[in-house]
Amino acid sequence: MVSSLYVHIPFCEHLCPYCDFPKLIAPSHLWIEPYLKALKKEIDGFSLKLPLKTLYIGGGTPTYLRTHELEDLLSFLSAFCDSQTEFSIEANPESLSEEKLEILRRHGVNRLSLGLQSTHEARLLFLGRYHRFEDVVQKVSMAKKKGFKRLNLDLIIAYPDETKEELIDDLNNLLSLDVDHLSLYSLTVRGNSVFSIKKIPEASQELGAELYSTALQILRAHDYERYEVSNFARHDEKCLHNLTYWHDLPYAGAGLGAAGYLDDHYRYRNSTSLPCYLEGRGREIEDASALKDQIEYFLLTNLRLEEGFSLNDFSMRFQLSFPSLFSKTIKKFEDNGCLSMQKEMLKLTDRGIMILDRILVEFFEELDGYCAL
């Protein structure tokens, strides 16, 4: 049984060219009623531990739903929660209204994540966004007046031509909104996104590292703790649902293209084909029973955490000593200041976070050698 649930709402009013998540563009309202019906059926089929610890509605654009559709979805989902559940939903500024905020609050949603993405008009146009920074200011104020205390803002950084001055301006605007959680994502071009098709370049590694370091310095100076590579929180307002992923703990995922991890041996991803999903077929199941796969998933997630992970937890989970298994890689990255082992915890330093992918490759290579014995 799992105590965390992700629910995917794929509907959007328009296409953001950087997005490669499963999504459907208008006139997608034609599909919402059958989609919600299939979604409920899928969720009813899970073995959920109630009340849920975390429930996260993402997209797509969940607030694209019309008020009666939002009422329908939340009436169903709120039955899985109590007052202690972290109940989050993503929202776009242009589709978030006072009436929808009231519906969210009435059904127990207590955490709101707004897709700000940029505070500069030219960048927002480049990203295919239809709002302006002034709209976000208005919606944040509106949400606070409606009683939302847990607010997150998403910001995209590291455009190929971004300057440090532009980033600092973005961050100052962000900080003026006085919310306790911020998510910063470097612009990535991948999958079937429009940017990928148009071959829009990403920022160089050097520029990306410089801009990320600048953001880290500024946010720390304003009392935001980085608890995961892309996530920052004040006043200990970490997103518990995100931490479920980064601690590599089981969760259920429902909806078009959603993924789930129900135990050490069962990971799955739903079809991205709407007809397949509506018919309840197309789920791809991954055999994750191999020890090598389990350890790789653990490293892919836990090494992103600021606090790292407990060596004892690793030992209990896999019946292996991490220092013995990875002695070569640990020594190399401890010696060059990228990795730290203290008080039975292993973590990457600021320098190590910058080369996370390279470090993972070397851990995986050493793991391959062990598994080949």
Side-chain angles (χ1 to χ4, degrees):
M1 299 181 73
V2 296
S3 58
S4 289
L5 172 66
Y6 171 79
V7 177
H8 190 71
I9 304 298
F11 307 105
C12 295
E13 188 170 354
H14 58 269
L15 180 69
C16 295
Y18 59 90
C19 177
D20 69 335
F21 292 116
K23 54 198 173 293
L24 298 165
I25 310 303
S28 54
H29 276 299
L30 297 172
W31 297 104
I32 289 179
E33 184 177 348
Y35 182 82
L36 293 181
K37 183 178 179 181
L39 189 69
K40 293 173 187 176
K41 183 177 180 181
E42 183 184 12
I43 293 170
D44 280 335
F46 290 128
S47 294
L48 299 174
K49 183 179 180 181
L50 301 181
L52 291 172
K53 180 180 178 182
T54 71
L55 196 163
Y56 192 104
I57 307 173
T61 309
T63 50
Y64 173 71
L65 299 181
R66 292 170 293 193
T67 53
H68 70 280
E69 295 160 344
L70 195 59
E71 283 270 14
D72 180 32
L73 175 66
L74 295 178
S75 293
F76 172 76
L77 292 176
S78 62
F80 299 97
C81 307
D82 69 5
S83 61
Q84 301 304 308
T85 302
E86 181 192 80
F87 194 169
S88 306
I89 192 168
E90 294 177 352
N92 276 358
E94 63 266 30
S95 62
L96 186 63
S97 65
E98 187 170 357
E99 184 179 8
K100 288 181 181 178
L101 281 168
E102 289 173 352
I103 293 170
L104 299 179
R105 288 292 293 167
R106 185 163 66 251
H107 289 285
V109 176
N110 50 35
R111 188 175 182 278
L112 188 64
S113 181
L114 273 172
L116 171 82
Q117 314 311 0
S118 177
T119 69
H120 294 103
E121 187 169 343
R123 293 296 187 200
L124 288 168
L125 290 172
F126 170 69
L127 294 170
R129 306 294 288 186
Y130 283 64
H131 69 270
R132 297 296 174 262
F133 178 56
E134 293 74 18
D135 300 321
V136 178
V137 174
Q138 179 191 28
K139 297 303 169 69
V140 168
S141 175
M142 186 187 297
K144 288 181 178 180
K145 288 177 182 177
K146 292 295 180 183
F148 283 92
K149 297 179 181 179
R150 305 193 68 194
L151 295 168
N152 170 68
L153 295 173
D154 288 345
L155 180 71
I156 292 177
I157 69 169
Y159 303 89
D161 59 345
E162 188 170 13
T163 64
K164 187 184 291 188
E165 290 72 27
E166 181 184 348
L167 173 63
I168 291 172
D169 188 49
D170 255 342
L171 290 171
N172 285 335
N173 288 331
L174 209 63
L175 292 167
S176 72
L177 295 174
D178 191 30
V179 301
D180 288 332
H181 195 285
L182 302 172
S183 298
L184 272 62
Y185 302 105
S186 295
L187 180 66
T188 54
V189 180
R190 60 190 174 193
N192 295 315
S193 68
V194 174
F195 278 175
S196 178
I197 294 168
K198 291 185 174 181
K199 301 188 184 323
I200 300 295
E202 295 181 355
S204 67
Q205 288 187 348
E206 293 77 15
L207 176 60
E210 179 186 9
L211 293 173
Y212 181 83
S213 294
T214 299
L216 180 63
Q217 180 180 0
I218 291 172
L219 293 179
R220 281 177 171 168
H222 286 83
D223 298 324
Y224 287 87
E225 173 193 355
R226 177 182 67 188
Y227 66 95
E228 186 272 336
V229 173
S230 300
N231 289 284
F232 300 78
R234 292 187 311 188
H235 308 140
D236 202 33
E237 287 290 352
K238 302 177 180 71
C239 177
L240 300 180
H241 189 84
N242 282 345
L243 284 171
T244 300
Y245 301 148
W246 306 130
H247 284 128
D248 195 31
L249 298 173
Y251 66 94
L256 192 72
Y261 168 37
L262 301 184
D263 60 45
D264 285 344
H265 310 303
Y266 190 93
R267 296 179 187 265
Y268 67 89
R269 183 173 295 277
N270 286 342
S271 172
T272 57
S273 163
L274 183 61
C276 286
Y277 181 74
L278 294 181
E279 294 171 9
R281 59 185 177 86
R283 175 175 287 186
E284 299 175 3
I285 299 172
E286 175 186 349
D287 181 6
S289 60
L291 179 65
K292 177 177 178 292
D293 294 334
Q294 294 177 44
I295 293 176
E296 285 184 352
Y297 272 115
F298 183 91
L299 294 176
L300 279 166
T301 53
N302 282 268
L303 282 178
R304 296 179 62 91
L305 291 166
E306 177 82 3
E307 67 177 6
F309 61 87
S310 162
L311 298 175
N312 185 59
D313 286 349
F314 182 92
S315 176
M316 293 288 290
R317 181 167 179 172
F318 301 111
Q319 302 301 304
L320 290 167
S321 164
F322 192 90
S324 299
L325 183 60
F326 294 108
S327 57
K328 178 182 174 183
T329 305
I330 290 171
K331 184 178 189 312
K332 175 178 178 177
F333 290 109
E334 265 194 315
D335 288 349
N336 67 13
C338 291
L339 185 150
S340 169
M341 278 204 308
Q342 295 181 357
K343 297 180 180 179
E344 287 299 305
M345 295 291 292
L346 183 141
K347 59 172 284 188
L348 299 185
T349 64
D350 287 349
R351 184 179 177 186
I353 289 289
M354 291 294 186
I355 58 167
L356 172 60
D357 289 346
R358 177 183 156 195
I359 292 174
L360 282 168
V361 166
E362 300 211 20
F363 272 123
F364 292 169
E365 287 177 349
E366 193 164 3
L367 179 62
D368 284 342
Y370 169 81
C371 293
L373 294 176

